[in-house]
Amino acid sequence: MELLHAERATLLLYDSAADELVSRIAAGLDELRVPAGAGICGATIASRRTINVPDAYADARFNPDVDRRTGFRTRNILSAPLFAYDGSLVGVLQVLNKRRGAFDDHDVLLAETLGAQAGVAIQRARLIEHFLAKQQMERAMRIARDIQRDLLPKESPRGGGFDVAGFNRPADETGGDIYDFVPRADGRWMLSVADATGHGIGPALIIAETRAILRAVGRGEPDPAAVLGAANDMLAADLDSGRFVTCFLGTLDLPAASLRYASAGHGPLLFYTRRDDRFEQIPASGPPLGIVEGTDFGPP
């Protein structure tokens, strides 16, 4: 502003999502948001050239609304487009009211030089900001992934002729799928496989809550259907519409070689009989968790 001997200068950055120009550096003004196609700024963008307006109120493109709101009187305007190194629009540099007379060709050249430097500098700053934000997000996602991985069971049920194993690999850094093996005080094991809708950090948080609920309720309740019923009511109170969790829950009795189970919309589940070399599909005993409170997950 001082280089151009002006009373006021504003740097307006282009917001492509809103198709607006938003002031980021303004001498003597609060933040401004103006349509990208309006006024002198809009003409600057459309022509991609610097516009020198010696008499603002004599130019039909001038919008006097800001003057009316602020009490400022605009006499003349120098409006220069800002471009990135690849030619994409960054914004507009607008300088108002040269202290002596009107802006001349020297001022135009100076504004364009400043604008060229500012455009590249702003794009570089945006790229650095984006890079740092991306790095921070990646670090946060790695931490979330490690935490979710640590929630997987460290041991599997052994004995009774059973081989029990699990494997989990999220599609993203984190995911909404989990399995769990929990030893009970009575010697039986609680087995679960659950899947929250979607991918990413949101479903990962939901599935962590689901795991905690199943563990808390399942330690004292041997009936899988009752455990799912309690978990369903808790999740229904917490989850937004459209979010839910499918879940298979079983109680494995190794000495008795039996598995008692219930399924909340989880499938397909296959039961293989080696003697007959036959697969049998196990139907769900109720809808997914978190949709309707009071759901019965007893045998279908």
Side-chain angles (χ1 to χ4, degrees):
M1 185 171 70
E2 293 302 325
L3 288 174
L4 291 165
H5 306 289
E7 294 179 4
R8 179 171 291 179
T10 305
L11 182 64
L12 300 111
L13 301 184
Y14 180 58
D15 180 352
S16 58
D19 194 28
E20 290 181 332
L21 289 167
V22 184
S23 65
R24 283 293 177 263
I25 301 175
L29 280 177
D30 295 329
E31 181 181 275
L32 291 174
R33 298 188 74 92
V34 296
I40 303 297
C41 287
T44 303
I45 292 173
S47 66
R48 298 176 67 88
R49 298 179 62 182
T50 299
I51 295 178
N52 186 358
V53 180
D55 186 346
Y57 280 84
D59 194 308
R61 298 169 298 182
F62 175 65
N63 183 354
D65 286 346
V66 175
D67 278 9
R68 283 195 288 265
R69 285 191 283 113
T70 63
F72 184 79
R73 176 74 179 183
T74 302
R75 298 191 309 275
N76 45 53
I77 303 171
L78 191 59
S79 183
L82 308 179
F83 298 109
Y85 66 87
D86 59 358
S88 60
L89 177 68
V90 173
V92 172
L93 172 63
Q94 194 167 83
V95 186
L96 307 180
N97 292 1
K98 188 170 182 178
R99 291 193 175 91
R100 294 183 180 179
F103 295 106
D104 55 26
D105 291 343
H106 174 75
D107 296 322
V108 170
L109 179 60
L110 182 56
E112 289 177 344
T113 302
L114 292 173
Q117 294 175 346
V120 173
I122 290 168
Q123 186 185 43
R124 177 181 294 179
R126 284 176 168 175
L127 290 173
I128 292 174
E129 182 180 6
H130 176 74
F131 174 73
L132 293 176
K134 184 173 182 290
Q135 279 194 321
Q136 184 177 8
M137 177 60 71
E138 288 175 349
R139 282 195 297 269
M141 293 300 289
R142 283 196 298 270
I143 293 171
R145 178 197 61 198
D146 293 343
I147 292 173
Q148 188 172 41
R149 184 177 57 204
D150 289 342
L151 294 179
L152 296 174
K154 305 299 187 294
E155 60 175 329
S156 303
R158 291 286 184 270
F162 287 92
D163 291 323
V164 181
F167 175 77
N168 178 278
R169 183 168 64 186
D172 299 321
E173 287 287 343
T174 60
D177 307 274
I178 202 168
Y179 66 90
D180 202 11
F181 312 137
V182 183
R184 291 171 43 87
D186 58 11
R188 289 178 287 185
W189 286 77
M190 185 183 77
L191 314 180
S192 63
V193 180
D195 179 11
T197 51
H199 300 282
I201 193 67
L205 293 173
I206 293 172
I207 209 66
E209 178 186 3
T210 303
R211 173 186 179 273
I213 292 173
L214 294 176
R215 282 187 162 227
V217 178
R219 290 186 187 278
E221 173 56 68
D223 181 8
V227 175
L228 288 184
N232 173 71
D233 291 347
M234 295 182 196
L235 289 171
D238 289 348
L239 300 185
D240 293 333
S241 176
R243 291 194 178 274
F244 55 84
V245 179
T246 64
C247 180
F248 171 86
L249 186 70
T251 299
L252 177 62
D253 189 332
L254 294 174
S258 68
L259 176 68
R260 187 180 181 186
Y261 71 89
S263 173
H266 197 83
L269 299 168
L270 300 177
F271 177 73
Y272 174 68
T273 306
R274 182 178 180 183
R275 180 179 56 194
D276 301 328
D277 192 24
R278 182 171 62 89
F279 285 95
E280 177 184 352
Q281 184 166 322
I282 299 176
S285 50
L289 304 176
I291 297 178
V292 180
E293 292 187 50
T295 301
D296 181 10
F297 293 93

